[in-house]
């Protein structure tokens, strides 16, 4: 068999093996997507209730003037605000344009909301985001790698505990969570949600339409005290925001991975079809050449005998 035919045959074989891998990866990503979507449905009820309670408190003006450590909306208004951006990316590649979209949109958001690099810091959840900002000399104050495919609430508690500790120490004055919101398997949209400080304006902005439309009571009788109630509710609210964002981001990641692997498999099918056509044409040409040579040899033998 000619060398060119061997090369084409080798490419067909290697492409088929690649297709097997991408098909398997698509199935794995789809399985992870199904798992996290089921988990997210159960969590959504809890998150909605927490947000509803906090919104009640906001409308009752219990949050107004609060100066609780780590959750205060008040502060020295004369100083320049330092902002932290919690950027959620994946630890691995093979997720299509997911990481690139998060980082690009986050950078655009930062450029609009921060005057210079001295006025903000990065908190990275996911290796891709952390590596990107470190390579560019950005201040990555904290990073967390190895988030589970279906994250648990305990994982988020560790992240929130570190963030609130940094906030209490005055390392930043406000925090935005930047991630890709899952719409469907093919579509995700960037979101930047304000998590700290927890105040009435931020809560009203983050509350979903279904919560806003509920009939809310504007007054509360608080036992044992407002501050003790808030010390329990507000950390749960912060945890719910971060955990919800990580769940949402992970859902988008799995969807993007499944879509990217399906696209890779489809491209492999197209390449295999093209190579097989090329192989068959080359093989037919080689056979035709052999037949022509044999026929020519026979004719030459007949001429010699005559």
């Amino acid at each position: 068999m000619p060398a060119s035919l061997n090369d084409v045959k080798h490419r067909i074989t290697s492409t088929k093996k690649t297709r097997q891998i991408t098909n398997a990866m698509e199935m794995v990503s789809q399985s992870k997507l199904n798992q996290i979507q089921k988990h997210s449905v159960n969590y959504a009820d809890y998150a909605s209730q927490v947000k509803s309670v906090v919104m009640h408190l906001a409308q009752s003006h219990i949050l107004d003037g609060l100066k609780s450590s780590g959750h205060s909306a008040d502060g020295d208004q004369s100083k320049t605000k330092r902002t932290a951006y919690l950027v959620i990316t994946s630890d691995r590649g093979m997720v299509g344009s997911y990481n690139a979209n998060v980082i690009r949109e986050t950078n655009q958001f930062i450029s609009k909301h921060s005057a210079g690099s001295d006025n903000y810091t990065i908190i990275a959840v996911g290796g891709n985001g952390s590596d990107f900002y470190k390579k560019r000399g950005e201040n990555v104050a904290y990073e967390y790698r190895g988030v589970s495919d279906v994250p648990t609430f305990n994982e988020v508690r560790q992240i929130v505990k570190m963030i609130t500790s940094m906030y209490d120490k005055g390392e930043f004055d406000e925090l935005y969570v930047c991630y890709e919101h899952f719409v469907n398997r093919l579509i995700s949209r960037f979101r930047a949600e304000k998590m700290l400080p927890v105040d009435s304006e931020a809560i009203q902005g983050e509350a979903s339409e279904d919560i806003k439309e509920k009939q809310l009571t504007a007054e509360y009788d608080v036992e044992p005290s407002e501050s003790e109630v808030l010390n329990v509710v507000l950390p749960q609210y912060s945890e719910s925001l971060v955990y919800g964002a990580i769940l949402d981001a992970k859902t988008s990641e799995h969807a993007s991975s499944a879509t990217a692997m399906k696209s890779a498999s489809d491209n492999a099918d197209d390449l295999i079809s093209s190579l097989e056509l090329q192989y068959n044409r080359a093989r037919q040409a080689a056979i035709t050449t052999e037949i022509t040579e044999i026929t020519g040899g026979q004719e030459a033998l007949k001429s010699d005998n005559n």
Side-chain angles (χ1 to χ4, degrees):
M1 188 177 292
S4 59
L5 284 177
N6 281 329
D7 291 341
V8 174
K9 188 174 183 180
H10 176 72
R11 288 187 64 190
I12 292 172
T13 302
S14 62
T15 305
K16 285 182 177 179
K17 290 179 179 178
T18 300
R19 183 183 59 184
Q20 290 177 341
I21 294 172
T22 55
N23 280 335
M25 292 179 70
E26 180 190 354
M27 292 175 63
V28 170
S29 295
Q30 186 61 53
S31 175
K32 292 177 181 178
L33 177 60
N34 293 338
Q35 290 178 39
I36 200 169
Q37 283 183 302
K38 291 178 182 177
H39 187 74
S40 297
V41 169
N42 296 329
Y43 172 74
D45 293 335
Y46 164 79
S48 177
Q49 290 300 321
V50 172
K51 288 185 178 181
S52 180
V53 169
V54 175
M55 192 172 176
H56 272 81
L57 297 177
Q59 291 197 349
S60 300
H61 305 290
I62 292 178
L63 299 181
D64 296 349
L66 177 66
K67 293 185 178 181
S68 173
S69 175
H71 304 287
S72 174
D74 299 329
D76 183 1
Q77 300 299 322
S78 62
K79 72 174 185 178
T80 303
K81 279 189 176 181
R82 183 172 177 82
T83 305
Y85 298 96
L86 174 59
V87 186
I88 305 174
T89 59
S90 71
D91 287 311
R92 61 189 179 90
M94 311 292 284
V95 290
S97 60
Y98 172 78
N99 291 311
N101 290 341
V102 175
I103 293 172
R104 184 185 67 253
E105 295 285 353
T106 298
N107 290 341
Q108 291 176 359
F109 185 79
I110 291 174
S111 66
K112 293 178 181 178
H113 289 78
S114 296
S117 58
D118 294 336
N119 296 327
Y120 69 86
T121 186
I122 300 295
I123 297 173
V125 175
N128 271 271
S130 178
D131 293 340
F132 175 86
Y133 287 107
K134 281 183 175 180
K135 287 178 181 178
R136 282 152 183 80
E138 300 282 0
N139 177 27
V140 179
Y142 174 73
E143 65 174 302
Y144 187 94
R145 298 173 185 252
V147 176
S148 303
D149 291 325
V150 182
T152 64
F153 203 79
N154 286 333
E155 289 182 81
V156 174
R157 280 181 177 161
Q158 179 180 342
I159 298 171
V160 174
K161 183 179 179 180
M162 178 59 66
I163 291 171
T164 53
S165 175
M166 295 167 64
Y167 182 61
D168 290 344
K169 294 175 182 176
E171 295 184 25
F172 56 84
D173 304 298
E174 59 181 3
L175 173 72
Y176 285 91
V177 183
C178 305
Y179 66 99
E180 283 286 294
H181 164 62
F182 175 78
V183 178
N184 56 49
R185 176 169 171 166
L186 299 177
I187 300 173
S188 61
R189 294 192 178 97
F190 176 77
R191 278 187 178 177
E193 298 179 343
K194 188 175 182 180
M195 192 188 90
L196 293 172
V198 177
D199 54 26
S200 298
E201 182 180 351
I203 292 169
Q204 295 285 353
E206 300 302 337
S208 59
E209 290 301 321
D210 60 326
I211 295 176
K212 290 179 181 179
E213 290 174 0
K214 289 181 180 179
Q215 295 294 324
L216 303 179
T217 304
E219 295 182 359
Y220 270 93
D221 292 327
V222 180
E223 291 282 348
S225 68
E226 292 182 0
S227 61
E228 291 186 56
V229 170
L230 292 174
N231 285 336
V232 174
V233 173
L234 292 184
Q236 291 185 7
Y237 177 69
S238 298
E239 288 173 352
S240 71
L241 280 182
V242 178
Y243 185 55
I246 291 176
L247 273 181
D248 202 353
K250 271 291 179 181
T251 306
S252 294
E253 177 189 331
H254 295 325
S256 182
S257 177
T259 301
M261 292 304 100
K262 184 179 187 308
S263 178
S265 297
D266 292 342
N267 290 338
D269 286 334
D270 292 340
L271 180 58
I272 289 169
S273 297
S274 176
L275 289 172
E276 286 179 341
L277 180 60
Q278 180 182 343
Y279 177 81
N280 290 333
R281 285 177 175 174
R283 190 164 177 270
Q284 288 173 0
I287 292 172
T288 300
T289 301
E290 289 178 5
I291 292 174
T292 302
E293 290 175 351
I294 292 171
T295 303
Q298 289 176 340
E299 292 297 328
L301 288 173
K302 288 180 180 179
S303 298
D304 289 342
N305 291 334
N306 292 334

